[in-house]
Amino acid sequence: MKTKNANHLKFFLLIGVFFGNICSPFAQQINDELPNVVLLLGDDHGWDETGYNGHPYLKTPVLDELAEVGVRMNRFYSASPVCSPTRGSILTGRHPNRYGTFTPGYSIRPEEISIASLMQQKGYATAHFGKWHLGPVKAESPTNPGAMGFDEWLSHDNFFELNPYLSKNGADPELFEGESSEILVREAMDFIEKAKAAGKPFFVVIWYGSPHEPYSGLPEDMALYSNLPETFATKEVRLTSNETGLPVTRLQRDVLQERFAEITAMDRSIGELRNYLDAKELKSNTLLWYFGDNGTPQEANATVPFREQKGSIYEGGIRVPSVLEWPAGLPSALESNVIMNSEDVFPTLAFLIGEELPNRPIDGINLMPFLSGEKLERPSPMMFWNGSPRDLPLKDQKPYLDPKLQEGTSPMVKLMNGKATRDFRNYIQTDIITSDFQGDRAIIDNRYKLVLTESKSGETQFELFDLLQDPAETNDLKELYPELTKKMNNQLRIWQESVLNSLLGNDYKMNK
């Protein structure tokens, strides 16, 4: 779409927002000018680890520029405090507990409807690059990127560093030499060239392997962080050894130098992609969206301003950086304090391409009224649930998929039980019992956040926080606001019932 049509597009966006999710008039008007979409995801990239969010040492000039000229989302969340579930939420718009993707190592279910499938049906050329982690990427897997709506994929079952092994369209993994973020972007640009030649809009998903541990940076990027404060050298942290693939203890200062180098390289690759889009006159009508998949991990927690870290439903585990640029559709820079999360990607993109949402519970919402600044408060709360499968012996758990189809093939540095590859699992559940509602969980209703955790004795503990006044979650207000605590707890419980109903497979019996 040419820049001169930006106001025309914005008019139809606002008309669509005004009439809710009635998208067909909008789709008819812009059918020949559908936006290209590029989704970028950092692996374990915490909220504060950008220059624009005030990090004292990191250099992220490209993300900083995106935050200045595009939409900067100050209160953006990952649907989960760990990676696989968040990735599922991006593709489906649904909380991952609905389809048994409880934590890393749990696959998505084949019956889930992906945003890539909707884009594909709309005529988009679709491709996935990088970390998948929702099931094996091999050709015979029923949950590989191709099964989820991607025409092409160059992907890894899990995470990777420099010189990654990647599978192209399900073939045996092959070695790609170089800095992994730059490799993914280079391959994505080749795909975009093919989409252009075919006259198709493109939907490109780049899920980086950075900055997940074990860390490895280029010498020139490492040099940028050679003078980190000596205070970081007084703490030892545990992570994976690049040499042995086993756990090792190292000084945090050395670890942070490598991690920051990875983030800088990832940032640079985003700049390379933006420059390419600009040179090819594609930048104006390409929606480019970056965010992290969960908070900062324990070995890198040095400057996080929030409570806890990766794996926790406190802010340090789920609040992540997010910036979006779309010059033709959102021409004005905007800094937003609206609460948003990764589940919102699906309904937002579905709206933009004029596709109806599937006939099943969708937890995300269309963000266009908030990204354009038309609305300033989310109409319904966001729910979080760091759930887990029942604690049953393996013999009592019936696999959702043939275990052979769940075996991964992508080599990685980190060994587990002596293996350099990862297998996946997903289990059939046929009933609901009281203990199924347990697990750390939270509800955020614009200003207030209710957090529920389980003590070692099994007792549920409640905490209520005012995130506007207390983003670090230090002052528990439940005694001051008992009625609000009760109301939010009831809302969370009702939502959990819906999630467990989905986990039983009942959504798949509904008409699409």
Side-chain angles (χ1 to χ4, degrees):
M1 180 183 298
K2 297 180 180 178
T3 305
K4 66 180 181 180
N5 288 328
N7 291 333
H8 178 71
L9 172 56
K10 187 173 182 181
F11 171 77
F12 281 101
L13 284 174
L14 296 179
I15 289 294
V17 169
F18 181 79
F19 288 106
N21 280 328
I22 301 174
C23 312
S24 54
F26 164 74
Q28 291 170 4
Q29 292 291 337
I30 67 162
N31 189 53
D32 295 331
E33 300 177 313
L34 290 168
N36 304 304
V37 177
V38 178
L39 297 182
L40 306 163
L41 189 70
D43 194 5
D44 283 8
H45 190 195
W47 182 89
D48 76 305
E49 293 181 307
T50 64
Y52 75 83
N53 273 335
H55 197 280
Y57 312 112
L58 259 165
K59 296 174 174 58
T60 56
V62 178
L63 291 176
D64 296 351
E65 182 180 349
L66 284 169
E68 183 177 350
V69 303
V71 180
R72 169 179 170 175
M73 290 161 263
N74 291 330
R75 301 181 69 195
F76 192 91
Y77 293 80
S78 54
S80 169
V82 288
C83 53
S84 293
T86 295
R87 291 161 199 276
S89 75
I90 295 167
L91 294 183
T92 66
R94 288 154 52 85
H95 192 278
N97 285 13
R98 292 189 184 274
Y99 38 87
T101 310
F102 298 109
T103 197
Y106 282 77
S107 73
I108 200 168
R109 291 177 175 176
E111 296 89 348
E112 286 299 308
I113 298 171
S114 162
I115 185 60
S117 296
L118 294 191
M119 303 291 253
Q120 200 176 50
Q121 294 169 15
K122 197 69 178 181
Y124 278 76
T126 61
H128 176 272
F129 300 93
K131 179 173 179 174
W132 181 241
H133 214 197
L134 288 169
V137 299
K138 61 187 181 183
E140 60 268 36
S141 168
T143 57
N144 67 28
M148 289 290 126
F150 292 98
D151 300 324
E152 296 186 18
W153 68 99
L154 183 70
S155 309
H156 193 288
D157 295 335
N158 205 320
F159 57 83
F160 47 89
E161 286 72 42
L162 295 175
N163 307 317
Y165 280 88
L166 303 171
S167 169
K168 188 167 187 177
N169 299 332
D172 290 341
E174 58 180 298
L175 177 67
F176 285 75
E177 294 187 354
E179 207 288 320
S180 65
S181 296
E182 295 177 340
I183 289 169
L184 299 183
V185 165
R186 181 187 69 217
E187 296 290 332
M189 291 188 296
D190 288 345
F191 176 81
I192 292 171
E193 284 293 321
K194 292 191 294 184
K196 281 180 53 195
K200 288 187 171 186
F202 52 84
F203 176 56
V204 170
V205 172
I206 301 175
W207 285 352
Y208 291 106
S210 291
H212 196 291
E213 68 94 29
Y215 306 110
S216 54
L218 297 177
E220 56 268 34
D221 294 326
M222 295 270 289
L224 295 173
Y225 305 106
S226 60
N227 294 315
L228 292 176
E230 289 297 328
T231 52
F232 293 149
T234 62
K235 180 180 179 181
E236 290 188 333
V237 295
R238 295 272 288 177
L239 71 162
T240 303
S241 167
N242 268 312
E243 287 71 37
T244 68
L246 300 173
V248 67
T249 300
R250 298 178 56 203
L251 291 177
Q252 189 178 50
R253 185 176 186 270
D254 298 337
V255 170
L256 290 176
Q257 182 183 15
E258 296 169 354
R259 177 179 174 86
F260 293 171
E262 284 201 30
I263 292 174
T264 290
M266 181 175 66
D267 183 83
R268 182 172 60 249
S269 78
I270 298 172
E272 292 170 359
L273 179 60
R274 289 180 76 224
N275 290 340
Y276 163 81
L277 294 172
D278 196 17
K280 298 294 182 178
E281 298 184 345
L282 295 168
K283 183 178 177 182
S284 178
N285 197 34
T286 297
L287 187 155
L288 187 149
W289 192 349
Y290 174 85
F291 54 91
D293 68 345
N294 52 246
T296 304
Q298 57 84 23
E299 77 278 355
N301 191 343
T303 59
V304 177
F306 304 127
R307 183 172 174 178
E308 297 285 348
Q309 58 203 13
K310 175 183 177 179
S312 168
I313 45 84
Y314 292 105
E315 295 291 283
I318 54 177
R319 195 157 165 181
V320 295
S322 180
V323 287
L324 181 151
E325 179 182 45
W326 182 22
L330 297 168
S332 300
L334 176 71
E335 183 173 347
S336 175
N337 290 308
V338 177
I339 55 171
M340 310 174 187
N341 77 84
S342 55
E343 294 164 349
D344 299 331
V345 172
F346 184 109
T348 301
L349 297 184
F351 170 77
L352 288 179
I353 66 173
E355 286 292 305
E356 295 182 359
L357 298 180
N359 184 25
R360 56 184 56 176
I362 300 293
D363 297 294
I365 64 171
N366 169 27
L367 291 180
M368 282 309 300
F370 311 99
L371 299 177
S372 63
E374 296 298 313
K375 293 187 177 180
L376 300 178
E377 277 203 347
R378 192 180 185 94
S380 56
M382 299 192 309
M383 315 288 186
F384 301 86
W385 187 9
N386 198 12
S388 62
R390 290 183 187 172
D391 186 16
L392 296 173
L394 285 176
K395 64 181 180 63
D396 296 328
Q397 300 183 32
K398 186 175 180 180
Y400 199 89
L401 298 168
D402 182 346
K404 295 294 291 183
L405 298 176
Q406 293 276 51
E407 294 177 353
T409 60
S410 306
M412 56 193 296
V413 171
K414 187 174 184 177
L415 299 178
M416 183 176 289
N417 299 322
K419 289 180 60 174
T421 56
R422 295 290 186 274
D423 300 334
F424 294 83
R425 63 188 67 87
N426 198 301
Y427 297 110
I428 294 173
Q429 187 158 321
T430 58
D431 63 348
I432 299 172
I433 59 178
T434 301
S435 61
D436 291 335
F437 289 88
Q438 293 179 344
D440 293 350
R441 50 208 185 271
I443 171 175
I444 302 177
D445 190 3
N446 293 306
R447 179 169 186 165
Y448 294 98
K449 177 180 179 181
L450 181 68
V451 177
L452 282 68
T453 54
E454 310 291 337
S455 67
K456 291 183 179 180
S457 63
E459 182 182 358
T460 301
Q461 300 173 325
F462 296 80
E463 295 172 285
L464 181 70
F465 302 106
D466 180 344
L467 292 181
L468 298 185
Q469 298 296 322
D470 179 29
E473 297 169 299
T474 60
N475 186 21
D476 181 8
L477 302 175
K478 68 174 179 295
E479 301 297 337
L480 191 60
Y481 300 115
E483 290 303 316
L484 177 60
T485 299
K486 181 179 179 180
K487 174 187 173 182
M488 295 180 75
N489 181 44
N490 288 339
Q491 290 176 301
L492 183 58
R493 178 73 178 204
I494 292 170
W495 173 78
Q496 284 187 284
E497 291 172 356
S498 169
V499 171
L500 290 173
N501 183 67
S502 298
L503 182 61
L504 298 181
N506 292 326
D507 295 348
Y508 307 141
K509 301 171 185 177
M510 303 167 67
N511 295 325
K512 295 182 180 179

